[in-house]
Amino acid sequence: MRKLKSDFRLAINKQIVLITLFSTLFSLAGIAQNSAAKGKQSKSAPLFTKFEYQGNDQVYTNNPLKADEFYNPILQGCYPDPAICRKGSDYYLVCSSFAMFPGVPIFHSKDLVNWTQIGHVLDRVSQLNVFDCGISAGVYAPGITYNPNNDTFYMIVTAFSAGGGNIIVKTKDPMKGWSDPYKLNFNGIDPSIFFDDNGKAYIVHNDAPDRGKELYNGHRVIKVWEYDVEKDQVIAGTDKIIVDGGVDLAKKPIWIEAPHLYKKNGKYYLMCAEGGTGDWHSEVIFISDSPKGPFVPAPGNPILTQRHFPKDRANKVDWAGHADLVEGPDGKYYGVFLAIRPNNKDRVNAGRETFMLPVDWSGTFPVFENGLVPMEPKLKMPKGVENKTGKDGFMPNGNFTFIDDFTSEKLDYRWIGLRGPREEFASVTKKGLQIKPFQTTVKEVKPTSTLFYRQQHNSFSYAATIEYKPESEKDLAGIVCLQSENFNFVYGITKSGNDYYLLLEKNQKPRRSQTMDSRILASTKIDVSKPIRLKVTANHDDYEFSYSINGTDFVKLGETVSGDILSTNVAGGFTGCIIGLYATAANDAKP
């Protein structure tokens, strides 16, 4: 896993350099290349109906909820790097979205238990253009803050695409959309913004040490800037390093990042992640009399980590860190953070998820309650709260079933595109969902005509019915399981000669390799005169692909395959597996 962290961070450093060198070029080329990526659309457009996703994790079966409990994680699947804020009785939470579009999902709650997705912060191409970036680039590590001095919400994030850099958007009402971005004049990643009682504002972020002062691989610093609220820009010359390396530079801590500033009882607190986003991840805290430091680390750091426990522990939760704090409706503090639940092969397929723990801040420093012991799958609810997850439009939790007949005029917010808007290829008709295929495949770093849903369990099934008659061997439509453009399974219908085939293709491109290894694992002739139901069933690392021509009796295609290429361990990157309804007019898979 240390190698995995090293690969993560090497990729980030390369991305930062590329942004600095090519931002102007990308900005000029963006619109033209985004349009060219779609290419000519095929007349052969599949129709999808009766989508069903069903979770079946044993941990939920073995740990039923009592009346005063709710499940952790609060957002299952690839919802990493959470940040949270409060205005009155309203809570807003955002997460990273990388090259997914629209970007930065945003959720609302009144009680920290029941969450509704109200949309995405970056839902227009003018805000987010990720047309040409790998799935783990795009935007990540957002911060969301409410400024009571001007009654405005701010979302700040790093954009690794189309010359984005660090950007900030704002709104008076998160329910009504956000401004176009203001580009900020500083480098580095993981910014967050803090508003003091006196109206002054500050931005803190991760950055490289001053030139020539890097002491070891993974040595980073935290910087602070004063921020001009009127001009929406950092004030030149006000930057200052407030943390060098981490809690104890002598121990060579790696990747101090994801900083947040807070104020309590007249003191300023700086909370950061430390240790990298893998198995040494943790959360640490510092204190100061000023937002510009000097900051002194708490004697009890870290205040949250899962790194010290046996690797074979039951119901394992790991990689905990990258946290944010908020005062709850009961007057108690709570922290949201990312962590993972690996499968039975210790692989991370569902990605980094959003967890929550109560925080004890009765003393000088906040401490995550039960954040330094093996985490449990359930939490006690704040007093007076009723668990309505999965009801009345609230996000589901635990083992749940999500069914979409595509009868609503508007697509559910959980459906996302990759590198471009869903509306450019997906449309809801009276008969179901129609996808107009682009002349791109999921193996390319271009917008794809694929509607994606996050894998949210280690054991699950998902199925969709497809009506489709491909016109040529270049046409293919079906479903995909995708960790990235370099690691995915394609399960779809195509044509060869005068016959139609259902095939299962495995695509993998090992890191540092220039060649994609694409293999047809199985194929069969199929009658396309009637709708066909395609299904994927996963039991931890084992994935099975099957189909039905009568909607009830399923036939397995090929052998059970390992889902290792859908894991972060094998594929690298920052996302979890996403599963999608797919069509292409550039198919190169031959049965």
Side-chain angles (χ1 to χ4, degrees):
M1 192 59 69
R2 294 297 176 85
K3 182 178 182 296
L4 176 63
K5 290 185 295 183
S6 175
D7 286 345
F8 281 175
R9 300 311 176 187
L10 179 61
I12 287 180
N13 283 326
K14 288 180 177 178
Q15 295 274 9
I16 293 171
V17 172
L18 286 172
I19 285 174
T20 304
L21 292 175
F22 299 117
S23 61
T24 303
L25 176 63
F26 283 159
S27 297
L28 292 173
I31 296 175
Q33 290 195 32
N34 195 21
S35 298
K38 290 181 289 183
K40 184 180 177 182
Q41 291 183 340
S42 169
K43 295 179 181 179
S44 179
L47 184 74
F48 291 94
T49 56
K50 300 179 183 176
F51 174 88
E52 181 174 351
Y53 174 95
Q54 186 169 10
N56 189 31
D57 281 346
Q58 196 64 37
V59 61
Y60 297 120
T61 304
N62 294 345
N63 294 275
L65 290 176
K66 296 179 181 177
D68 62 344
E69 295 176 331
F70 67 109
Y71 282 125
N72 217 6
I74 59 171
L75 295 177
Q76 296 166 225
C78 182
Y79 293 106
D81 308 330
I84 193 169
C85 74
R86 176 183 183 179
K87 177 188 176 182
S89 61
D90 294 297
Y91 295 86
Y92 297 94
L93 184 151
V94 292
C95 302
S96 293
S97 56
F98 307 99
M100 303 169 195
F101 196 98
V104 187
I106 181 167
F107 304 86
H108 170 261
S109 179
K110 290 282 190 180
D111 51 30
L112 299 179
V113 174
N114 304 296
W115 291 91
T116 302
Q117 185 169 359
I118 60 173
H120 293 80
V121 176
L122 305 178
D123 58 5
R124 307 186 300 276
V125 174
S126 62
Q127 297 171 307
L128 175 66
N129 196 348
V130 286
F131 68 96
D132 68 343
C133 67
I135 193 172
S136 284
V139 287
Y140 58 79
I144 187 169
T145 310
Y146 173 67
N147 181 4
N149 303 301
N150 63 1
D151 188 28
T152 301
F153 292 85
Y154 293 76
M155 193 286 294
I156 186 170
V157 72
T158 305
F160 280 125
S161 62
N166 290 297
I167 58 174
I168 196 165
V169 296
K170 58 185 183 178
T171 185
K172 292 288 186 180
D173 185 351
M175 301 280 189
K176 296 182 179 178
W178 296 72
S179 71
D180 276 349
Y182 299 85
K183 187 169 182 178
L184 302 173
N185 295 332
F186 63 87
N187 295 318
I189 61 171
D190 292 14
S192 67
I193 190 165
F194 166 75
F195 300 97
D196 209 341
D197 304 331
N198 59 9
K200 294 192 72 172
Y202 303 86
I203 285 177
V204 287
H205 66 95
N206 162 301
D207 208 344
D210 291 340
R211 183 169 295 182
K213 293 186 178 181
E214 183 176 4
L215 302 178
Y216 51 87
N217 185 30
H219 178 200
R220 301 290 287 181
V221 303
I222 300 298
K223 283 186 178 179
V224 64
W225 296 76
E226 294 180 25
Y227 184 79
D228 188 326
V229 177
E230 295 299 320
K231 296 180 180 178
D232 283 305
Q233 186 57 262
V234 292
I235 300 174
T238 62
D239 56 309
K240 180 183 178 183
I241 293 175
I242 51 176
V243 173
D244 186 3
V247 169
D248 185 352
L249 187 60
K251 294 182 180 178
K252 298 183 177 180
I254 62 171
W255 283 91
I256 190 78
E257 60 188 352
H260 291 281
L261 274 173
Y262 311 95
K263 189 176 185 180
K264 188 173 187 285
N265 298 330
K267 297 289 185 180
Y268 295 87
Y269 293 85
L270 176 71
M271 190 173 73
C272 308
E274 186 184 276
T277 196
D279 60 3
W280 206 246
H281 209 194
S282 70
E283 199 70 16
V284 295
I285 191 91
F286 304 79
I287 192 171
S288 177
D289 293 322
S290 165
K292 301 196 77 171
F295 280 90
V296 178
N301 278 317
I303 59 173
L304 168 70
T305 191
Q306 294 287 290
R307 67 191 177 201
H308 297 298
F309 311 122
K311 292 192 176 299
D312 59 351
R313 60 189 183 272
N315 302 328
K316 181 179 178 180
V317 174
D318 210 351
W319 300 11
H322 200 120
D324 198 7
L325 303 178
V326 72
E327 187 177 353
D330 53 0
K332 186 178 182 64
Y333 279 85
Y334 292 82
V336 292
F337 57 95
L338 73 81
I340 55 102
R341 296 176 298 150
N343 65 21
N344 58 7
K345 295 289 180 67
D346 207 35
R347 295 188 179 121
V348 184
N349 289 45
R352 299 172 303 155
E353 306 174 293
T354 289
F355 287 73
M356 178 182 289
L357 281 177
V359 173
D360 183 351
W361 207 341
S362 57
T364 302
F365 295 100
V367 176
F368 286 77
E369 294 181 12
N370 297 319
L372 298 173
V373 298
M375 286 177 58
E376 298 292 331
K378 299 191 296 183
L379 290 176
K380 292 288 184 181
M381 287 189 294
K383 279 188 177 181
V385 176
E386 178 185 355
N387 190 340
K388 298 180 180 178
T389 54
K391 305 172 185 175
D392 303 326
F394 293 110
M395 295 290 287
N397 207 241
N399 281 335
F400 57 83
T401 299
F402 171 62
I403 297 174
D404 198 337
D405 291 325
F406 303 112
T407 54
S408 299
E409 291 184 6
K410 191 174 180 181
L411 282 172
D412 191 284
Y413 288 129
R414 284 168 283 187
W415 289 112
I416 50 174
L418 185 57
R419 304 186 191 92
R422 306 170 302 177
E423 293 76 15
E424 299 211 342
F425 61 84
S427 58
V428 176
T429 72
K430 292 181 179 180
K431 294 182 178 180
L433 179 82
Q434 188 173 61
I435 294 183
K436 296 179 181 179
F438 293 165
Q439 289 191 340
T440 58
T441 74
V442 291
K443 295 181 282 187
E444 297 179 82
V445 184
K446 296 178 181 178
T448 73
S449 41
T450 320
L451 197 63
F452 284 108
Y453 181 90
R454 292 164 174 86
Q455 178 180 329
Q456 298 180 289
H457 300 78
N458 282 318
S459 294
F460 70 92
S461 66
Y462 88 97
T465 299
I466 181 173
E467 294 181 45
Y468 181 55
K469 190 174 183 180
E471 296 177 338
S472 76
E473 62 183 16
K474 290 292 185 180
D475 296 321
L476 181 144
I479 56 182
V480 296
C481 297
L482 182 140
Q483 209 281 344
S484 74
E485 56 275 4
N486 293 330
F487 295 89
N488 51 76
F489 290 101
V490 173
Y491 184 44
I493 300 166
T494 188
K495 187 177 183 181
S496 180
N498 294 321
D499 296 315
Y500 301 96
Y501 286 84
L502 176 64
L503 62 80
L504 175 61
E505 180 185 38
K506 178 181 180 181
N507 298 305
Q508 58 180 331
K509 185 179 180 182
R511 281 172 280 178
R512 301 182 182 88
S513 173
Q514 299 300 313
T515 305
M516 176 72 73
D517 180 8
S518 296
R519 301 184 183 184
I520 304 300
L521 302 183
S523 66
T524 185
K525 285 185 181 181
I526 198 159
D527 181 3
V528 296
S529 62
K530 295 181 180 179
I532 299 166
R533 192 150 180 82
L534 303 178
K535 185 176 183 180
V536 177
T537 305
N539 182 16
H540 288 267
D541 192 61
D542 296 330
Y543 285 66
E544 293 183 356
F545 297 81
S546 60
Y547 66 96
S548 173
I549 56 175
N550 61 12
T552 304
D553 302 308
F554 283 86
V555 178
K556 183 177 172 182
L557 184 67
E559 301 298 321
T560 300
V561 299
S562 171
D564 58 351
I565 66 167
L566 304 177
S567 71
T568 306
N569 314 64
V570 172
F574 299 107
T575 64
C577 176
I578 51 179
I579 53 184
L581 309 177
Y582 173 52
T584 177
N587 174 51
D588 60 0
K590 310 300 179 187

